[in-house]
Amino acid sequence: MLQRHLAPALQPFPPLRFPSYSHFYLDNGIEVYGIPATTFPLFSIELVFAAARRHESAPQVASFCNSLLDDGTVRYSAFDISEAVEQWGCQLSTTDGYDYSSITLNGLSQHFERVLPLLQHLVCEAVFPETELVLLQNKELQSLQIRKSDSDYIASQWLQSMVLGGSTPYGYLTRATDIKALHREQLLHFYQTHYTPARCTIFVAGAVPAYWQQLLNQTFGSDNWGKPDQPVFDEKAYPTYTKYRPQQKQKHLSASPQCSIVWGMPTIRQQHPDSNALFFANTILGGFFGSRLMTRLREQKGYTYGIYTQISYFLNAAYWSLSAETGNAVTPKALKEINVVIQRFLDKPPPKKEIEMVRNYILGNSLHWIDGVFNSLNTLRNNVLNGFEPTNELANFEYDIQTISAKRIQEVAQLYLQPQNMSQVVVGGVKDITNI
């Protein structure tokens, strides 16, 4: 008989197994990764380019170039592109980042072969109409003006600039003058020199035709797109930020009923051997809803609805950050309490029960990384672009999480989470906070 008053016994965590995938090259050298699957009649194809912030010769060029890819080609207007995508039941999106930019097409499998030429036109024949550029500039200027009154946006931007350097592609602040200075010739040159086969990687997943590899080669495998022979801005020309010093900064917003608190500092990159251990330590401190910071400042003190810490990784940098929003009246108390929680975490190894809880949380959450073909593709993409072999990286991560000890957690916390190394920013309704 089923005993409903008894909790089921804990089961061993199933090993993480990355699904098999295809890896090959098109005739022009483009690297392709694919995870074909017939579970659902859907597909996803993403073209990723080394054409992002760290490659641009002027601020905002990469972002605007990527955003305008689907706003007109030699053959199609922005309206034609939008109408075709909707007619075939697809979804088209562009994404610009710090290290890579991409264009993604999701849709019904029955239209895979039909929509590939449209995607090819976007990456090979974009024209960047002047009218669309002006519209985007006006939109971004309005958005920037609105964000300037958002305490969370101001605090996050300041912190990233303080930690990663205001003169680097990872840390420069968006300015209205940079947006206004953009012109079509800049975008066109960036597009022609960076959206090329040599800078492209393709990721495909879902129910695709049996001859999908041939289709990709026919569509994207030629050398007649882009102008890779033109001079390309060398991302190494951007100065590497090595002059970090902890800073404190505050901005008073008289109309704000609360304060945005952000702390941060540079940290180790994802390729560092301590990265998985630091990830574990960060999760205990503030990486999930049951963390120490959340328990203390939300559950016990009632200072905030939420407080979290995270590690942001880039190809050439990484930084740790803490963020919370608190009422003006309790902001000074919250700042002191954050210091107390972090110091207690450094002073004493975590108990076994807490370690087991966080270990189960991390491993359980990691199952989402390979839950279904599209999540698996996203994991594959992230590993490949960061220089990891996907199968080995997943196994290494699981091993590190399964075997970590209390002593190891305390060691990495004391090494990488020292409060005196953290920059601190407070933006909101509190007029003055001395010794943040």
Side-chain angles (χ1 to χ4, degrees):
M1 182 178 178
L2 187 63
Q3 302 292 324
R4 295 187 179 277
H5 63 285
L6 298 176
L10 293 175
Q11 301 296 319
F13 185 82
L16 295 173
R17 292 289 181 264
F18 199 83
S20 59
Y21 60 90
S22 300
H23 177 213
F24 62 97
Y25 294 86
L26 304 185
D27 289 346
N28 58 4
I30 292 179
E31 197 169 10
V32 180
Y33 293 86
I35 309 179
T38 58
T39 309
F40 301 104
L42 303 170
F43 75 87
S44 177
I45 176 170
E46 180 181 19
L47 276 67
V48 180
F49 293 89
R53 260 202 183 202
R54 70 186 182 96
H55 307 102
E56 60 189 9
S57 57
Q60 299 300 311
V61 169
S63 176
F64 270 68
C65 180
N66 183 261
S67 297
L68 291 170
L69 280 179
D70 58 351
D71 282 331
T73 70
V74 173
R75 311 184 197 189
Y76 303 107
S77 67
F79 177 79
D80 294 333
I81 296 168
S82 178
E83 190 175 55
V85 170
E86 289 189 11
Q87 179 184 350
W88 293 327
C90 297
Q91 182 183 36
L92 180 68
S93 61
T94 58
T95 305
D96 63 276
Y98 292 91
D99 295 303
Y100 297 97
S101 295
S102 67
I103 181 167
T104 305
L105 189 64
N106 302 317
L108 299 173
S109 299
Q110 67 194 72
H111 298 310
F112 181 79
E113 186 171 355
R114 182 180 297 172
V115 298
L116 283 184
L118 175 63
L119 190 58
Q120 190 261 356
H121 295 322
L122 300 181
V123 298
C124 300
E125 300 180 358
V127 294
F128 306 97
E130 189 72 37
T131 54
E132 298 293 342
L133 171 58
V134 172
L135 286 173
L136 184 58
Q137 284 176 307
N138 291 335
K139 176 183 175 183
E140 289 300 315
L141 287 170
Q142 292 174 7
S143 178
L144 180 62
Q145 188 63 35
I146 294 172
R147 292 197 300 267
K148 284 183 177 179
S149 60
D150 182 347
S151 62
D152 182 56
Y153 172 80
I154 296 170
S156 299
Q157 290 289 294
W158 277 4
L159 179 73
Q160 192 161 329
S161 181
M162 291 159 62
V163 170
L164 299 179
S167 61
T168 71
Y170 297 140
Y172 77 71
L173 300 176
T174 301
R175 299 179 301 179
T177 52
D178 295 329
I179 296 175
K180 293 176 182 178
L182 290 172
H183 53 84
R184 180 177 177 273
E185 287 71 24
Q186 276 181 303
L187 305 185
L188 194 59
H189 181 267
F190 184 83
Y191 168 70
Q192 292 173 341
T193 55
H194 288 78
Y195 284 78
T196 65
R199 307 177 74 89
C200 179
T201 307
I202 299 178
F203 297 89
V204 182
V208 292
Y211 51 96
W212 66 279
Q213 296 185 10
Q214 290 84 353
L215 284 174
L216 289 183
N217 199 46
Q218 292 170 12
T219 308
F220 302 105
S222 68
D223 285 314
N224 62 348
W225 50 295
K227 294 183 179 179
D229 55 323
Q230 293 190 18
V232 176
F233 177 72
D234 182 5
E235 57 262 31
K236 293 179 182 178
Y238 260 116
T240 301
Y241 191 58
T242 57
K243 299 179 181 179
Y244 170 75
R245 296 291 183 274
Q247 304 175 55
Q248 295 182 352
K249 201 168 185 178
Q250 183 186 357
K251 182 178 179 66
H252 176 230
L253 300 177
S254 59
S256 179
Q258 61 187 20
C259 285
S260 293
I261 299 171
V262 293
W263 292 13
M265 59 184 172
T267 191
I268 54 176
R269 293 166 57 195
Q270 201 167 4
Q271 293 80 1
H272 194 283
D274 288 344
S275 64
N276 290 336
L278 178 59
F279 177 80
F280 199 109
N282 176 73
T283 304
I284 292 178
L285 179 61
F288 75 122
F289 195 78
S291 70
R292 292 195 179 187
L293 284 167
M294 184 72 80
T295 299
R296 185 63 175 171
L297 273 82
R298 173 190 162 100
E299 303 299 327
Q300 297 177 2
K301 294 294 185 177
Y303 291 160
T304 179
Y305 283 113
I307 179 169
Y308 291 96
T309 61
Q310 66 177 11
I311 304 171
S312 301
Y313 292 113
F314 309 96
L315 276 184
N316 298 325
Y319 75 100
W320 175 91
S321 62
L322 172 152
S323 61
E325 293 189 346
T326 59
N328 292 331
V330 298
T331 295
K333 296 179 181 179
L335 291 167
K336 293 179 181 178
E337 203 63 42
I338 291 170
N339 264 313
V340 170
V341 173
I342 295 177
Q343 197 57 53
R344 286 176 180 171
F345 180 50
L346 301 182
D347 290 343
K348 187 177 180 181
K352 181 179 179 181
K353 184 177 180 181
E354 184 179 32
I355 294 175
E356 287 303 314
M357 177 186 69
V358 173
R359 177 182 287 121
N360 289 335
Y361 167 79
I362 292 175
L363 292 175
N365 197 51
S366 65
L367 288 174
H368 292 295
W369 301 347
I370 52 174
D371 180 20
V373 63
F374 299 116
N375 283 339
S376 296
L377 182 70
N378 189 52
T379 301
L380 174 65
R381 173 195 185 278
N382 292 338
N383 279 293
V384 167
L385 296 180
N386 284 288
F388 297 118
E389 198 290 316
T391 303
N392 292 340
E393 178 60 20
L394 206 61
N396 293 338
F397 175 83
E398 181 183 3
Y399 176 81
D400 288 345
I401 300 303
Q402 289 279 25
T403 59
I404 197 167
S405 65
K407 181 180 178 182
R408 174 75 169 139
I409 294 169
Q410 186 182 31
E411 286 175 350
V412 296
Q414 291 177 343
L415 194 58
Y416 303 113
L417 296 174
Q418 289 291 343
Q420 65 265 28
N421 296 330
M422 299 176 185
S423 290
Q424 303 176 18
V425 179
V426 177
V427 178
V430 176
K431 288 185 177 181
D432 182 49
I433 301 176
T434 56
N435 299 320
I436 298 177

